[in-house]
PDB file of all heavy atoms in Angstrom:
ATOM      1  N   ASN C  65     -39.812 112.364  66.806  1.00 97.00           N
ATOM      2  CA  ASN C  65     -39.112 113.176  67.788  1.00 97.00           C
ATOM      3  C   ASN C  65     -37.663 112.713  67.955  1.00 97.00           C
ATOM      4  O   ASN C  65     -37.313 111.612  67.601  1.00 97.00           O
ATOM      5  CB  ASN C  65     -39.827 113.249  69.119  1.00 97.00           C
ATOM      6  CG  ASN C  65     -39.897 111.931  69.791  1.00 97.00           C
ATOM      7  OD1 ASN C  65     -38.919 111.237  69.983  1.00 97.00           O
ATOM      8  ND2 ASN C  65     -41.092 111.519  70.261  1.00 97.00           N
ATOM      9  N   VAL C  66     -36.847 113.594  68.552  1.00 98.00           N
ATOM     10  CA  VAL C  66     -35.461 113.314  68.900  1.00 98.00           C
ATOM     11  C   VAL C  66     -35.380 113.514  70.424  1.00 98.00           C
ATOM     12  O   VAL C  66     -35.920 114.471  70.946  1.00 98.00           O
ATOM     13  CB  VAL C  66     -34.490 114.215  68.165  1.00 98.00           C
ATOM     14  CG1 VAL C  66     -33.095 113.981  68.672  1.00 98.00           C
ATOM     15  CG2 VAL C  66     -34.589 114.027  66.696  1.00 98.00           C
ATOM     16  N   ARG C  67     -34.683 112.593  71.071  1.00 98.00           N
ATOM     17  CA  ARG C  67     -34.549 112.665  72.527  1.00 98.00           C
ATOM     18  C   ARG C  67     -33.130 112.457  72.975  1.00 98.00           C
ATOM     19  O   ARG C  67     -32.433 111.592  72.396  1.00 98.00           O
ATOM     20  CB  ARG C  67     -35.447 111.546  73.119  1.00 98.00           C
ATOM     21  CG  ARG C  67     -35.413 111.499  74.618  1.00 98.00           C
ATOM     22  CD  ARG C  67     -36.411 110.440  75.111  1.00 98.00           C
ATOM     23  NE  ARG C  67     -37.757 110.982  74.852  1.00 98.00           N
ATOM     24  CZ  ARG C  67     -38.812 110.210  74.646  1.00 98.00           C
ATOM     25  NH1 ARG C  67     -38.756 108.896  74.696  1.00 98.00           N
ATOM     26  NH2 ARG C  67     -40.005 110.757  74.428  1.00 98.00           N
ATOM     27  N   ALA C  68     -32.691 113.265  73.914  1.00 98.00           N
ATOM     28  CA  ALA C  68     -31.329 113.161  74.508  1.00 98.00           C
ATOM     29  C   ALA C  68     -31.510 113.128  75.999  1.00 98.00           C
ATOM     30  O   ALA C  68     -32.356 113.829  76.538  1.00 98.00           O
ATOM     31  CB  ALA C  68     -30.437 114.304  74.066  1.00 98.00           C
ATOM     32  N   GLY C  69     -30.695 112.313  76.660  1.00 98.00           N
ATOM     33  CA  GLY C  69     -30.870 112.248  78.103  1.00 98.00           C
ATOM     34  C   GLY C  69     -29.650 111.762  78.837  1.00 98.00           C
ATOM     35  O   GLY C  69     -28.708 111.233  78.273  1.00 98.00           O
ATOM     36  N   ASN C 110     -27.789 109.075  76.467  1.00 98.00           N
ATOM     37  CA  ASN C 110     -28.456 108.433  75.319  1.00 98.00           C
ATOM     38  C   ASN C 110     -28.986 109.485  74.357  1.00 98.00           C
ATOM     39  O   ASN C 110     -29.247 110.592  74.731  1.00 98.00           O
ATOM     40  CB  ASN C 110     -29.558 107.447  75.766  1.00 98.00           C
ATOM     41  CG  ASN C 110     -30.667 108.206  76.536  1.00 98.00           C
ATOM     42  OD1 ASN C 110     -31.357 108.984  75.922  1.00 98.00           O
ATOM     43  ND2 ASN C 110     -30.718 108.034  77.828  1.00 98.00           N
ATOM     44  N   LEU C 111     -29.110 109.063  73.135  1.00 98.00           N
ATOM     45  CA  LEU C 111     -29.655 109.865  72.034  1.00 98.00           C
ATOM     46  C   LEU C 111     -30.510 108.904  71.225  1.00 98.00           C
ATOM     47  O   LEU C 111     -30.050 107.840  70.784  1.00 98.00           O
ATOM     48  CB  LEU C 111     -28.544 110.465  71.191  1.00 98.00           C
ATOM     49  CG  LEU C 111     -28.930 111.344  70.038  1.00 98.00           C
ATOM     50  CD1 LEU C 111     -29.683 112.591  70.515  1.00 98.00           C
ATOM     51  CD2 LEU C 111     -27.750 111.733  69.206  1.00 98.00           C
ATOM     52  N   SER C 112     -31.786 109.370  70.923  1.00 98.00           N
ATOM     53  CA  SER C 112     -32.663 108.477  70.143  1.00 98.00           C
ATOM     54  C   SER C 112     -33.537 109.264  69.194  1.00 98.00           C
ATOM     55  O   SER C 112     -33.806 110.463  69.382  1.00 98.00           O
ATOM     56  CB  SER C 112     -33.481 107.619  71.084  1.00 98.00           C
ATOM     57  OG  SER C 112     -34.462 108.419  71.719  1.00 98.00           O
ATOM     58  N   TYR C 113     -33.942 108.590  68.130  1.00 98.00           N
ATOM     59  CA  TYR C 113     -34.884 109.145  67.175  1.00 98.00           C
ATOM     60  C   TYR C 113     -36.059 108.155  67.050  1.00 98.00           C
ATOM     61  O   TYR C 113     -35.865 106.923  66.982  1.00 98.00           O
ATOM     62  CB  TYR C 113     -34.204 109.281  65.770  1.00 98.00           C
ATOM     63  CG  TYR C 113     -35.224 109.597  64.706  1.00 98.00           C
ATOM     64  CD1 TYR C 113     -35.768 110.857  64.556  1.00 98.00           C
ATOM     65  CD2 TYR C 113     -35.624 108.620  63.813  1.00 98.00           C
ATOM     66  CE1 TYR C 113     -36.691 111.185  63.558  1.00 98.00           C
ATOM     67  CE2 TYR C 113     -36.563 108.913  62.829  1.00 98.00           C
ATOM     68  CZ  TYR C 113     -37.108 110.160  62.741  1.00 98.00           C
ATOM     69  OH  TYR C 113     -38.007 110.424  61.765  1.00 98.00           O
ATOM     70  N   SER C 114     -37.291 108.682  67.111  1.00 97.00           N
ATOM     71  CA  SER C 114     -38.485 107.914  67.006  1.00 97.00           C
ATOM     72  C   SER C 114     -39.380 108.389  65.855  1.00 97.00           C
ATOM     73  O   SER C 114     -39.548 109.578  65.756  1.00 97.00           O
ATOM     74  CB  SER C 114     -39.275 107.800  68.290  1.00 97.00           C
ATOM     75  OG  SER C 114     -38.542 107.225  69.328  1.00 97.00           O
ATOM     76  N   ASN C 123     -37.531 103.059  66.080  1.00 97.00           N
ATOM     77  CA  ASN C 123     -36.751 103.754  67.085  1.00 97.00           C
ATOM     78  C   ASN C 123     -35.274 103.377  66.876  1.00 97.00           C
ATOM     79  O   ASN C 123     -34.913 102.233  66.760  1.00 97.00           O
ATOM     80  CB  ASN C 123     -37.187 103.337  68.471  1.00 97.00           C
ATOM     81  CG  ASN C 123     -36.399 104.066  69.531  1.00 97.00           C
ATOM     82  OD1 ASN C 123     -35.341 103.670  69.940  1.00 97.00           O
ATOM     83  ND2 ASN C 123     -36.995 105.164  69.963  1.00 97.00           N
ATOM     84  N   LEU C 124     -34.462 104.410  66.789  1.00 98.00           N
ATOM     85  CA  LEU C 124     -32.961 104.211  66.691  1.00 98.00           C
ATOM     86  C   LEU C 124     -32.344 104.919  67.880  1.00 98.00           C
ATOM     87  O   LEU C 124     -32.667 106.046  68.185  1.00 98.00           O
ATOM     88  CB  LEU C 124     -32.463 104.864  65.380  1.00 98.00           C
ATOM     89  CG  LEU C 124     -33.095 104.362  64.073  1.00 98.00           C
ATOM     90  CD1 LEU C 124     -32.670 105.214  62.925  1.00 98.00           C
ATOM     91  CD2 LEU C 124     -32.708 102.900  63.851  1.00 98.00           C
ATOM     92  N   SER C 125     -31.418 104.217  68.556  1.00 98.00           N
ATOM     93  CA  SER C 125     -30.858 104.736  69.777  1.00 98.00           C
ATOM     94  C   SER C 125     -29.343 104.520  69.808  1.00 98.00           C
ATOM     95  O   SER C 125     -28.844 103.504  69.317  1.00 98.00           O
ATOM     96  CB  SER C 125     -31.421 104.073  71.028  1.00 98.00           C
ATOM     97  OG  SER C 125     -32.812 104.331  71.095  1.00 98.00           O
ATOM     98  N   ALA C 126     -28.646 105.432  70.483  1.00 98.00           N
ATOM     99  CA  ALA C 126     -27.226 105.263  70.750  1.00 98.00           C
ATOM    100  C   ALA C 126     -27.032 105.641  72.221  1.00 98.00           C
ATOM    101  O   ALA C 126     -27.742 106.521  72.756  1.00 98.00           O
ATOM    102  CB  ALA C 126     -26.410 106.244  69.876  1.00 98.00           C
TER     103      ALA C 126
END
Side-chain angles (χ1 to χ4, degrees):
N65 65 50
V66 174
R67 181 175 290 153
N110 63 70
L111 179 64
S112 68
Y113 169 77
S114 297
N123 182 274
L124 303 171
S125 299

